[in-house]
Amino acid sequence: MHFLFLVTVLVYLAASIFQALYLAIGERTETSTLRPRIAQIAFWGTCLGFVLLTLFIILWWSRQGHFPMKHWTDSTAFFAWAITLIYLIVVRVTQLRAIGSLVIPGAFITILISYSFSRNTSALPENLETYWLVPHITLIFLAYAIFFTAFGFGVLYLIAEKSIRDKKHTVFQNLLPSLGASDELGYRCTILGLILLSIGIIIGVVLKQYIEGVILNWLDAHVFFTVVTWFIYVVHISFRQLWGWRGRKAAYSEIVGFIAVLWTYVGVKLFLDSAHTFR
Amino acid sequence: MNQIVSIGTSHHVAPVEFREKLAFSEEQLIESLHHLRESYKVDEAVILSTCNRVEVYGVANSQRTAESPVKILLDFLSNYHRISVDTLKKWSYRHHNLDTIQHLFRVTSSLDSMVVGESQILGQVKDAYDFSRSAGGAGTILNRLFAKAFSVGKRIRSETTIATGAVSISYAAVELAKKIFNTLEDKTVAIIGAGEMSELTAKHLVANGVSKVIVANRTYERAVKIAEKFKGVPVAYEQDLNFLIDADIVISSTDAPHYLIERKPLAEIMKKRKHRYMFLIDIAVPRDIEPDVSKIYHAFLYNIDDLEAVVASNLKERKQEAVRAEQIVSEEAKRFHDQLQILEVNPTIKALHQQFQQIAETELQVCLDCTTLSDTQETAVASMTQAIVKKLLHHPVENLRHAVNDGNADHGQYVQALQELFALDDNNDKEQE
């Protein structure tokens, strides 16, 4: 199984390189025949990586005997899986491939972290063995992956806007989605992510009460920052609805939102103490 | 031997005053194609006549016509349009075999066009070819040639980027709009002032999905007049720019001596339209739009120089690509030429084989009839005759093929010599039919 994981990591590495190449080689003349091939390899490489990763997670699950969400290996592997899933859906729906150049390398880094922790496994605390845990964690990680995609669209937006304002022909200008498309997709991702995050949080609260019979400790660092993240996205969406916060401002808030996600996910666990800490 | 030749004139070598004299109308085309076949003994012909070029492609058999095929086409054009041969020679280009093939490939690839990479020429050549074919002009060789020319034209367009990137101001504006807006449908364009360029740009935008056109002019009458062309909404403006609230794309080309759209009022307007994107195109000189407008959130301003810079960079890109395209054209032309020549010598080789085979079989039969041989001996003699035929023909056939592949122009003479020495002519003709 370890071997399977290693193969998965390598496939992701290759897919990331080709995804990044797709944008990086730009539109230079000698690449016009090369680029479709690179795009193909990148896409199918990602698909292959996704299949392998799915297989790995299933095996890992059955070996652990419980839903794999307690350890860094589990959660980062699942995060990479979710990012890839969202990417595949976005490409299927919109045909915009440029987003892969950002999110697939992101997925690779995540899965690399996962791999580096994969030697040791741990059991869940007795009291967390519950079916509620599965939707709680799944939804929140899906939301994170969607926020990461929104972050990607925010970055693409800023690059595209800069190139239009500077009136310069950057090498990959024509490969980027239009401003309107990046903005719209970033927004849709944000809304979808927020919905999933909300449901995930509610399930978490119910989980807490069901298991421990007590109201949630809001000062638990992880809970606190999750709510902060949730709040950032709510503000972003309201501003957009009320005062037309589109375009650059929306792109910045998508980026800020994801930084908050990252802090909640990684920062809190490394620097602060929480019941949600991975070991 | 069949010769593919062409004569033509284009914007590269002749002014319009001369090109128009050579142009063919449809009725003239039918008449000329007929003429070429009947009076000039040209086996196949295609005539291409567009505003930028007039070209005649022909296939003639050099053995059957006394004059060189190029000369025949020259005479034809000179007689038909009543232009002296010398004038015609001065303003035209004439190609022969490989050069003709290469030239046609360059034409369909739009490498010979005024704007490299333009898309019209492929369709024009197709129409000309279809017309000539239905009029009985094109035959086996030109059919193959033109089919190949179209596929080369398509290959060049898909494998190089000579046909990408806008090369006119109006298209550059459309491309930029597409980079800003998710979709151009349900968008509104406002044209301020009159002008060919702004109207052309608006027309392209409408063709790309823009649904509403606002036409603003100082006088309402003028606005109504221009608005008719686009089924647009006419607006008269004095101080009031409120019509811009609905406008997603603004094209300004008035002759006003001062800025028409300034930063402050536009900022107000942008607020009223909730900062939806606005793409402003200023093609007026002196400018209509204050440059600082581009600092407004979600307002994107391009002036005439900016658009021209886009066009210039695209043109440069196309020129670089053209070098690569030329290479592909050369390779394809060479390959096609070789294939054609192999086809030319194939009937001769076949006839030669047949003749030898026939002699061998007849003689073998005579021999077997006079003698009594066992079955094994019979087989041995039969295979021996086969081997002799094979070995005798090996060198001549190989050398003939080499002559073709080396691009040796003498292979025509070889074929002729073979046909005369072995009296292949009759067989050969039967074969072709």
Side-chain angles (χ1 to χ4, degrees), chain A residues 27-30 32-33 157 161 163-165 167-169 173-174 177-181 183-184 241-244 246-250, chain B residues 158-161 176 178-182 274-277 294-303 306 310 313-314 317 320-321 324:
Chain A
E27 286 195 301
R28 264 168 282 137
T29 52
E30 65 272 23
S32 52
T33 44
Y157 180 93
E161 198 203 8
S163 85
I164 290 176
R165 281 211 189 274
K167 295 165 186 171
K168 275 191 197 127
H169 258 297
Q173 200 180 33
N174 285 340
S178 65
L179 296 185
D183 183 53
E184 187 64 33
Q241 289 297 336
L242 295 175
W243 295 292
R246 287 155 195 283
R248 206 187 320 155
K249 286 175 190 167
Chain B
S158 68
E159 285 187 18
T160 71
T161 55
L176 277 162
K178 282 184 178 167
K179 279 181 200 166
I180 293 171
F181 300 104
N182 191 2
K274 289 192 171 165
H275 291 286
R276 276 177 290 139
Y277 303 106
S294 65
K295 287 178 185 147
I296 299 173
Y297 189 60
H298 281 181
F300 300 93
L301 172 64
Y302 271 68
N303 65 30
D306 301 331
V310 171
S313 113
N314 285 345
E317 176 90 356
Q320 288 172 350
E321 274 305 87
R324 235 156 54 84

Side-chain angles (χ1 to χ4, degrees), chain B residues 395-408:
Chain B
H395 282 299
V397 168
E398 278 305 297
N399 286 336
L400 185 58
R401 287 205 170 120
H402 276 308
V404 172
N405 286 337
D406 295 347
N408 193 334

Side-chain angles (χ1 to χ4, degrees), chain A residues 8-54:
Chain A
T8 312
V9 173
L10 291 178
V11 169
Y12 262 86
L13 172 64
S16 303
I17 289 171
F18 279 101
Q19 291 278 10
L21 266 182
Y22 172 69
L23 265 198
I25 59 167
E27 286 195 301
R28 264 168 282 137
T29 52
E30 65 272 23
T31 61
S32 52
T33 44
L34 207 60
R35 187 147 34 74
R37 253 170 262 163
I38 289 180
Q40 285 250 311
I41 297 173
F43 181 75
W44 291 109
T46 308
C47 288
L48 178 65
F50 183 69
V51 170
L52 291 174
L53 187 57
T54 312

